[in-house]
Amino acid sequence: MARAKLPRSPSEGKAGPGGAPAGASAPEEPHGLSPLLPARGGGSVGSDVGQRVQVEFYVNENTFKERLKLFFIKNQRSSLRIRLFNFSLKLLTCLLYIVRVLLDDPALGIGCWGCPKQNYTFNASSSEINWAPILWVERKMTLWAIQVIVAIISFLETMLLIYLSYKGNIWEQIFRVSFVLEMINTLPFIVTIFWAPLRNLFIPVFLNCWLAKHALENMINDFHRAILRTQSAMFNQVLILFCTLLCLVFTGTCGIQHLERAGDNLSLLTAFYFCIVTFSTVGYGDVTPKIWPSQLLVVIMICVALVVLPLQFEELVYLWMERQKSGGNYSRHRAQTEKHVILCVSSLKIDLLMDFLNEFYAHPRLQDYYVVILCPTEMDIQVRRVLQIPLWSQRVIYLQGSALKDQDLMRAKMDNGEACFILSSRNEVDRTAADHQTILRAWAVKDFAPNCPLYVQILKPENKFHVKFADHVVCEEECKYAMLALNCICPATSTLITLLVHTSRGQEGQESPEQWQRMYGRCSGNEVYHVRMAESKFFREYQGKSFTYAAFHAHKKYGVCLIGLKREDKGILLNPGPRHTLAASDTCFYINITKEENSAFIFKQEEKQKKKGFSGQGLYEGSGRLPVHSIVASMGTVAMDLQNTECRPAPGGGGGGGGGKLTLPAENGSGSRRPSIAPVLELADSSALLPCDLLSDPSEDEMTPSEDEGLSAAEYVKGYPPNSPYIGSSPTLCHLLPVKAPFCCLRLDKGCKHNSYEDAKAYGFKNKLIIVSAETAGNGLYNFIVPLRAYYRSRKELNPIVLLLDNKPDHHFLEAICCFPMVYYMEGSVDNLDSLLQCGIIYADNLVVVDKESTMSAEEDYMADAKTIVNVQTMFRLFPSLSITTELTHPSNMRFMQFRAKDSYSLALSKLEKRERENGSNLAFMFRLPFAAGRVFSISMLDTLLYQAAAGARHHARLRLPLRHENHGGGPVDPHVRPPLPEAVLLQRRDPHRHLQDRVPRLLQLGAT
């Protein structure tokens, strides 16, 4: 019995205060005070000092009955041992009965113990039954002694358990079936001790099989007492059904064999054969009972079987159906021998499932992986149909459960998983609540399986720091707004990134008669790969050369686009510029159709460069040098239209410069026209580069500004934004106002004491506007402003930004944006023409329509974009020259953007999309003109970035490389590293916009030939 004692006081055994003898009862304490504490009432406090009272605490009542109950019933281990012993006794009695049957032969004589034996022969013609063979059996002395001992032990155990479980109603205990069977099988043996002639009396010991079944059930329940009941329910029910069937067969076999001693005297094996044939409803008829008692027993057993077995089967089928809904368990043996990943979602839609499966299994290394889906909701019909397809049924396992329950994580074998993907439900009305659920799931998984790699999707950027411990985190709003902002700087950035993060074979559109579709489809197979510099055939020869030189010549020679690299002790650097010299330990990131290991190198004889007016070892002839921001590797053989600018060399630096340079050809034999490709330096020319301040505005070197322009340019400074709207945003060097603008001046449609302007026209902006229509000013909108105000953008290229918001922004958001120049907001809606005119849509170059959170959930899923599509279609017809970028919830709704019902070309694209979908393409929508032009975007298309992250680090770098407006994971921007100019990445070998007429993006027209 567990109990606790206080340590004995040194003063015990001595006289108490006031001369009281030891052991005398202490005076009664005041009510409410512990006897361990001195009384603080009136009187002397010092008189009670040193008094200690021994107190014994008992977990249970310290009585003999309670101690027995603890041992036999309450204690898990001892109770299990008692039930196992009881189960063994019952099996032993059944075994002893079989031994007695095999040793007994009624033909040798029948009678009581010590009585003369009488021979009996069955007479089939007589209707009378001789009951002597049924009442008396032959029992050896040794067998009788063993059975008596077992009966006494069973009887004492039964009476003890009755005593311990007695709760005031003795009749309830007496009339229990188990107690009645115990008395039938034990009391007759005890009586035979005192009355010897009854030792050969027949006792139906075979009925102990039902008591053994009952003991086995209790034993299994004790064994699973500490485990969730639903986990063992299926096993328990199957065990109960099997034991019930076994007990029915054993009871029927022994009963018929004994009753037929007065008939044909069947053997035990023949009786067993008869029961199996009868219960299986075969009924050969070769063995039949001859007397009516055995016939009656057969009828009773069949009736019992017809009642008991269907009930057991019904319970088993119900549990099986429930298990099918919950998904059962992922086998521990399979988890130890096979690799698997876990996908945790709050609700599973068919689109999300197919995107995950197609992208995850697109990598050859992941073909043998299992996918375990852990979802708290029941599997819907569409998902069930997909998972029944043989392609997925052998590799995908659906478990209904919660990631917050350790039992469900054990079912999914999370601790053995290769990775865990936790996705947020973007269709929730309250996206913050959805993020909170994702955070709890991530915490629960990390607590249960700290070594399992974690890939988390977060909706709101302010919640990102809660899951910073995860291996990979993708924030939807950060990616979305950064993508939309880069779309305004360089059209179709979203298209490029979407194609990069989607796995494609490059076979789309190859049967199209349109040349641009074939080129576009083939280059959609481009992906970002990485290779170590020393092991690369592409870049090994450029070791010790500048990054710019390597990027230019690798594309010219091999057709690959080198976009970034990673030093061993640093993060990923995108386009670090001519100052960076390639080392053997660098990891190069490049865009190509396939990775270098899968490429065949066929070297052709080089054409004479003199015919091209081109010398690889020549020097760039010219008195002036281009500024640093123009020395960028061209990703295509058709050059960028760079500005003809100069940068003054350092005093004393000379005009020669160091390092090999590439001489540019003179077009039409004339040297008066500026070259279209900047010089590509083999090594950085310090004499030319050092005087050029990378933090200075490049536009200041291009021309001498007018007085007004110079005044405007002087108003801006470069620095880091002083206020961030949320924790976890990386500091980025930006153009800022020297003094924060008052909140009243940020309101575009209302004048204040500082200015009286009430619309965009009154401001007289020199550059075109960028209008963003959103429901609320969330923290993610901050990531839209930062790339458009980044330090590498020329001051004269800064476009005014107008935020058209349905709801008024809060104080914290205004505090974060008031330091940026030319950023305004106004309350209004995109479906209100007056609001659009007032915010300056006539003077705008780009309109970005962000998907509203309130419309993301609808009764019919795909109708969530209905209002947005109709509003954008209206603006498309009213302002045809306006560049409108729209975000949709469902990518399949892209076909309704810029919808033309009778346009033959649009109908041809629709047929092409259907054909590609039938061919199994995951990018069937890529040929739609709005998507190809970057006019429509869905953040769900970037979910594949998280899925592919499990295949390697290169996949996670895909989106981070082009989108990040800072060059390091969380630190400030290195001013000596070039910013990630989108135009350096977007010049891929594709031209999908030939048929967009007047809205063709100029930059993307410059595809490689």
Side-chain angles (χ1 to χ4, degrees), residues 473-750:
V473 180
V474 173
C475 180
E476 178 179 295
E477 288 197 0
E478 277 190 346
C479 295
K480 174 178 70 176
Y481 283 107
M483 187 88 71
L484 295 174
L486 292 179
N487 253 1
C488 298
I489 301 174
C490 182
T493 302
S494 59
T495 301
L496 170 67
I497 301 302
T498 302
L499 295 178
L500 283 178
V501 300
H502 274 78
T503 301
S504 172
R505 299 168 299 173
Q507 302 297 324
E508 287 83 358
Q510 296 308 302
E511 299 179 358
S512 173
E514 299 282 342
Q515 190 274 339
W516 77 269
Q517 292 175 355
R518 295 193 299 271
M519 176 69 72
Y520 180 47
R522 186 175 74 252
C523 293
S524 67
N526 282 341
E527 294 190 35
V528 178
Y529 300 96
H530 73 285
V531 65
R532 190 176 176 85
M533 179 76 178
E535 303 171 357
S536 172
K537 295 182 180 179
F538 285 154
F539 310 109
R540 182 171 50 195
E541 59 184 289
Y542 305 114
Q543 180 178 344
K545 304 295 195 307
S546 68
F547 176 87
T548 307
Y549 183 89
F552 178 86
H553 288 280
H555 179 268
K556 181 175 180 293
K557 185 174 182 179
Y558 300 107
V560 298
C561 300
L562 179 64
I563 60 174
L565 52 85
K566 182 181 183 297
R567 282 283 171 90
E568 292 182 345
D569 55 342
K570 294 183 179 180
I572 298 176
L573 303 177
L574 176 64
N575 187 19
R579 288 181 178 273
H580 186 92
T581 303
L582 298 182
S585 59
D586 289 348
T587 299
C588 299
F589 290 85
Y590 61 96
I591 298 176
N592 196 23
I593 295 292
T594 183
K595 59 183 178 180
E596 180 180 309
E597 293 84 344
N598 298 339
S599 302
F601 295 86
I602 302 175
F603 295 92
K604 296 182 180 180
Q605 186 178 4
E606 298 182 358
E607 297 180 2
K608 295 182 179 181
Q609 295 182 354
K610 293 182 180 180
K611 294 182 180 180
K612 300 182 179 180
F614 213 63
S615 177
Q617 303 296 329
L619 298 177
Y620 174 64
E621 305 291 342
S623 58
R625 299 187 184 275
L626 295 176
V628 175
H629 74 277
S630 295
I631 307 175
V632 181
S634 172
M635 294 299 177
T637 55
V638 178
M640 295 171 55
D641 189 10
L642 300 179
Q643 299 169 346
N644 186 14
T645 56
E646 296 181 355
C647 179
R648 298 184 183 90
K661 308 180 189 67
L662 195 64
T663 304
L664 299 176
E667 299 185 16
N668 298 329
S670 174
S672 60
R673 184 174 179 179
R674 61 176 176 81
S676 59
I677 301 180
V680 181
L681 304 180
E682 183 175 349
L683 293 174
D685 188 356
S686 59
S687 62
L689 296 180
L690 288 178
C692 297
D693 185 8
L694 289 175
L695 297 184
S696 63
D697 190 354
S699 61
E700 295 175 356
D701 300 327
E702 295 173 1
M703 61 182 66
T704 303
S706 61
E707 296 181 359
D708 295 338
E709 294 175 345
L711 181 62
S712 174
E715 293 177 356
Y716 306 151
V717 296
K718 291 185 178 180
Y720 297 104
N723 297 313
S724 176
Y726 60 92
I727 300 174
S729 62
S730 301
T732 306
L733 198 64
C734 298
H735 293 285
L736 303 175
L737 294 172
V739 180
K740 292 182 180 180
F743 290 172
C744 59
C745 296
L746 300 179
R747 187 73 182 261
L748 181 71
D749 56 338
K750 288 187 178 180

Side-chain angles (χ1 to χ4, degrees), residues 799-820:
N799 299 89
I801 302 174
V802 179
L803 309 179
L804 185 60
L805 307 174
D806 291 359
N807 304 312
K808 185 177 180 180
D810 58 14
H811 175 82
H812 300 287
F813 181 78
L814 296 178
E815 185 70 26
I817 69 171
C818 66
C819 59
F820 295 106

Side-chain angles (χ1 to χ4, degrees), residues 747-801:
R747 187 73 182 261
L748 181 71
D749 56 338
K750 288 187 178 180
C752 62
K753 62 181 180 180
H754 304 93
N755 62 68
S756 58
Y757 304 145
E758 294 184 352
D759 54 24
K761 181 180 180 181
Y763 281 87
F765 297 118
K766 293 183 174 59
N767 293 336
K768 293 287 188 178
L769 278 68
I770 296 177
I771 302 176
V772 184
S773 173
E775 186 175 18
T776 57
N779 293 328
L781 199 55
Y782 176 82
N783 292 281
F784 182 87
I785 299 175
V786 170
L788 298 179
R789 293 294 180 264
Y791 77 97
Y792 54 81
R793 299 209 65 208
S794 172
R795 294 174 181 172
K796 297 181 180 180
E797 296 176 357
L798 299 182
N799 299 89
I801 302 174

Side-chain angles (χ1 to χ4, degrees), residues 32 57 96 120 157 251 256 379 600 721 829 847 869 988:
F57 299 98
L96 292 175
Y120 169 74
E157 181 190 9
T251 303
I256 293 173
M379 188 177 3
S829 177
L847 172 63
I869 293 175
Q988 278 194 297

Side-chain angles (χ1 to χ4, degrees), residues 351-489:
D351 292 340
L352 185 146
L353 176 63
M354 294 311 300
D355 286 343
F356 178 86
L357 296 179
N358 289 329
E359 290 300 328
F360 182 80
Y361 284 115
H363 197 278
R365 191 171 63 87
L366 304 178
Q367 295 300 314
D368 296 332
Y369 279 60
Y370 285 86
V371 173
V372 178
I373 302 173
L374 187 60
C375 181
T377 60
E378 185 178 346
M379 188 177 3
D380 62 15
I381 298 177
Q382 289 183 328
V383 174
R384 189 182 302 276
R385 289 175 180 172
V386 169
L387 296 186
Q388 289 176 350
I389 299 175
L391 177 63
W392 307 123
S393 61
Q394 303 299 325
R395 298 193 285 183
V396 182
I397 301 171
Y398 187 95
L399 303 182
Q400 184 178 351
S402 173
L404 271 63
K405 292 183 179 180
D406 287 353
Q407 292 85 356
D408 291 333
L409 296 179
M410 291 176 62
R411 291 169 55 206
K413 303 300 181 289
M414 184 67 71
D415 50 344
N416 298 108
E418 298 293 323
C420 177
F421 299 90
I422 302 180
L423 306 184
S424 297
S425 178
R426 63 167 52 90
N427 294 330
E428 293 288 339
V429 177
D430 189 354
R431 293 165 70 84
T432 301
D435 269 353
H436 293 168
Q437 297 174 11
T438 301
I439 292 170
L440 286 183
R441 290 190 183 99
W443 289 354
V445 171
K446 198 64 178 179
D447 178 72
F448 182 83
N451 297 325
C452 181
L454 203 56
Y455 303 82
V456 183
Q457 179 193 59
I458 287 292
L459 302 179
K460 296 284 188 178
E462 60 267 24
N463 298 320
K464 187 174 62 172
F465 78 101
H466 289 296
V467 291
K468 190 177 181 180
F469 56 83
D471 296 79
H472 297 283
V473 180
V474 173
C475 180
E476 178 179 295
E477 288 197 0
E478 277 190 346
C479 295
K480 174 178 70 176
Y481 283 107
M483 187 88 71
L484 295 174
L486 292 179
N487 253 1
C488 298
I489 301 174

Side-chain angles (χ1 to χ4, degrees), residues 144-381:
W144 171 83
I146 297 175
Q147 287 185 321
V148 168
I149 294 174
V150 172
I152 293 174
I153 296 175
S154 299
F155 177 78
L156 293 177
E157 181 190 9
T158 303
M159 299 308 296
L160 179 60
L161 292 178
I162 290 294
Y163 166 71
L164 295 178
S165 59
Y166 172 70
K167 296 181 180 180
N169 189 353
I170 189 63
W171 298 109
E172 180 182 355
Q173 303 293 331
I174 292 178
F175 288 106
R176 290 172 58 185
V177 176
S178 59
F179 180 78
V180 174
L181 289 179
E182 285 283 2
M183 295 301 102
I184 293 175
N185 293 320
T186 57
L187 278 180
F189 281 106
I190 297 176
V191 173
T192 60
I193 299 176
F194 308 101
W195 195 2
L198 296 180
R199 291 178 182 178
N200 279 349
L201 181 68
F202 170 73
I203 302 173
V205 182
F206 59 84
L207 295 178
N208 274 326
C209 66
W210 296 98
L211 296 177
K213 171 181 173 292
H214 180 68
L216 181 62
E217 293 178 10
N218 293 333
M219 185 173 62
I220 295 297
N221 291 338
D222 285 345
F223 184 73
H224 292 288
R225 185 183 299 178
I227 306 176
L228 188 65
R229 178 65 183 174
T230 55
Q231 289 191 356
S232 57
M234 191 70 180
F235 170 76
N236 287 356
Q237 193 61 37
V238 173
L239 183 63
I240 291 172
L241 177 61
F242 176 76
C243 292
T244 302
L245 185 60
L246 186 62
C247 290
L248 285 173
V249 174
F250 184 74
T251 303
T253 300
C254 295
I256 293 173
Q257 185 273 336
H258 180 74
L259 293 176
E260 281 297 309
R261 286 162 60 94
D264 275 350
N265 192 17
L266 300 177
S267 65
L268 199 63
L269 181 60
T270 305
F272 175 72
Y273 165 76
F274 169 75
C275 289
I276 294 297
V277 170
T278 302
F279 285 150
S280 62
T281 68
V282 176
Y284 290 117
D286 53 344
V287 179
T288 57
K290 302 299 182 181
I291 58 176
W292 68 264
S294 57
Q295 293 172 350
L296 179 61
L297 178 61
V298 171
V299 172
I300 294 175
M301 296 302 297
I302 291 176
C303 293
V304 172
L306 290 177
V307 173
V308 174
L309 292 181
L311 294 177
Q312 299 290 341
F313 274 112
E314 181 185 6
E315 185 68 21
L316 181 62
V317 170
Y318 173 77
L319 289 176
W320 183 82
M321 294 178 63
E322 290 297 320
R323 182 174 182 176
Q324 287 296 106
K325 293 180 181 179
S326 62
N329 299 334
Y330 184 69
S331 169
R332 171 67 66 179
H333 173 73
R334 179 182 291 176
Q336 294 175 349
T337 57
E338 304 287 347
K339 295 181 179 180
H340 75 286
V341 298
I342 300 94
L343 174 64
C344 296
V345 290
S346 58
S347 61
L348 187 62
K349 301 295 183 181
I350 185 64
D351 292 340
L352 185 146
L353 176 63
M354 294 311 300
D355 286 343
F356 178 86
L357 296 179
N358 289 329
E359 290 300 328
F360 182 80
Y361 284 115
H363 197 278
R365 191 171 63 87
L366 304 178
Q367 295 300 314
D368 296 332
Y369 279 60
Y370 285 86
V371 173
V372 178
I373 302 173
L374 187 60
C375 181
T377 60
E378 185 178 346
M379 188 177 3
D380 62 15
I381 298 177

